[in-house]
Amino acid sequence: TIKNVVLPDPDSATYLRINFYTAGMAVGKDAPANMAKLVQKYAPYASFIREMTFRSLDSHNLTQAFRQISELRKRARQKELRELEEANLVKQAKLVRTKTERVPRLSDLTMRPVFAGRKTQGNLEAHSNGLRFISMRGEIVDIMYPNIKHAIFQPCENEIMVLVHFHLRHPIMLGKKETARYSILYRSDRCKSNC
């Protein structure tokens, strides 16, 4: 696979150089995990291309190829990192929604960490095997009861917020981040007047 792509400053012509991983070359930290194994496996009896250089009088085509290769490498690296993060995650059970009776619900809550942006506001529902937070934008976080290691309730004594904090046994994904700690906040006007 590609080690790096170089587009030097053009003189009269534009050059695009693509370097590849080869045998006998040090494999850096940013190399894919399986790259060193593949190079070592095929090194005794395979021929490797070390680099390819392309030359063009029209810089537009090579510049576009450089951007596309760089974007593709970036996406592949992000996919690899995401797979590594998700490999550590434990598969959660599906939330069993309560349908026979009225669902206990707390409204106008703020959740931390946030999905995206500044605030994640929504409702918290208690179901038969877990909690479901539904944001105003329709984003959903399910927290299963067996996955909750500690649940801490902080009443609004001398505070302006009521806080419920969950520390999970196994982290879950929140948007693109893996986290094991969630806080649900409720700003209470009654608490403010008591302070």
Side-chain angles (χ1 to χ4, degrees), residues 36-78:
K37 293 176 187 174
L38 286 173
V39 169
Q40 288 174 351
K41 180 180 177 182
Y42 294 108
Y45 50 86
S47 298
F48 291 91
I49 297 174
R50 183 167 290 206
E51 78 174 45
M52 295 176 77
T53 304
F54 300 93
R55 179 181 182 270
S56 175
L57 296 174
D58 181 20
S59 65
H60 176 73
N61 292 336
L62 290 183
T63 306
Q64 186 177 358
F66 174 74
R67 284 195 197 116
Q68 289 174 344
I69 292 170
S70 299
E71 182 64 31
L72 185 63
R73 291 183 69 228
K74 181 180 171 185
R75 273 191 263 143
R77 209 173 309 125
Q78 287 174 345

Side-chain angles (χ1 to χ4, degrees), residues 2-174:
I2 297 173
K3 182 178 180 184
N4 61 17
V5 181
V6 181
L7 186 71
D9 292 332
D11 292 333
S12 59
T14 303
Y15 292 92
L16 176 68
R17 188 173 69 239
I18 303 172
N19 297 317
F20 298 95
Y21 289 106
T22 61
M25 180 185 288
V27 179
K29 287 185 253 179
D30 61 335
N34 62 351
M35 181 50 51
K37 293 176 187 174
L38 286 173
V39 169
Q40 288 174 351
K41 180 180 177 182
Y42 294 108
Y45 50 86
S47 298
F48 291 91
I49 297 174
R50 183 167 290 206
E51 78 174 45
M52 295 176 77
T53 304
F54 300 93
R55 179 181 182 270
S56 175
L57 296 174
D58 181 20
S59 65
H60 176 73
N61 292 336
L62 290 183
T63 306
Q64 186 177 358
F66 174 74
R67 284 195 197 116
Q68 289 174 344
I69 292 170
S70 299
E71 182 64 31
L72 185 63
R73 291 183 69 228
K74 181 180 171 185
R75 273 191 263 143
R77 209 173 309 125
Q78 287 174 345
K79 182 181 175 187
E80 230 175 62
L81 290 173
R82 193 176 333 110
E83 286 173 356
L84 270 172
E85 284 178 358
E86 291 174 0
N88 298 334
L89 296 177
V90 174
K91 183 78 172 160
Q92 282 200 108
K94 294 284 184 193
L95 183 76
V96 178
R97 298 189 70 182
T98 306
K99 293 182 181 177
T100 57
E101 54 193 66
R102 188 165 180 229
V103 177
R105 177 179 291 128
L106 296 173
S107 301
D108 300 326
L109 303 174
T110 304
M111 185 184 76
R112 290 188 187 145
V114 297
F115 276 103
R118 292 178 56 195
K119 266 189 173 178
T120 301
Q121 290 186 314
N123 302 325
L124 184 69
E125 300 175 347
H127 293 281
S128 56
N129 70 335
L131 299 169
R132 173 169 276 184
F133 182 85
I134 304 172
S135 74
M136 296 297 180
R137 295 184 209 135
E139 299 156 324
I140 295 174
V141 176
D142 291 334
I143 302 172
M144 302 298 122
Y145 294 139
N147 196 22
I148 297 174
K149 186 175 185 179
H150 301 291
I152 302 166
F153 172 68
Q154 177 184 330
C156 63
E157 298 166 1
N158 300 323
E159 299 285 334
I160 59 170
M161 295 270 193
V162 179
L163 170 75
V164 179
H165 180 79
F166 298 106
H167 182 76
L168 306 179
R169 295 180 198 282
H170 307 289
I172 58 176
M173 292 297 283
L174 178 67

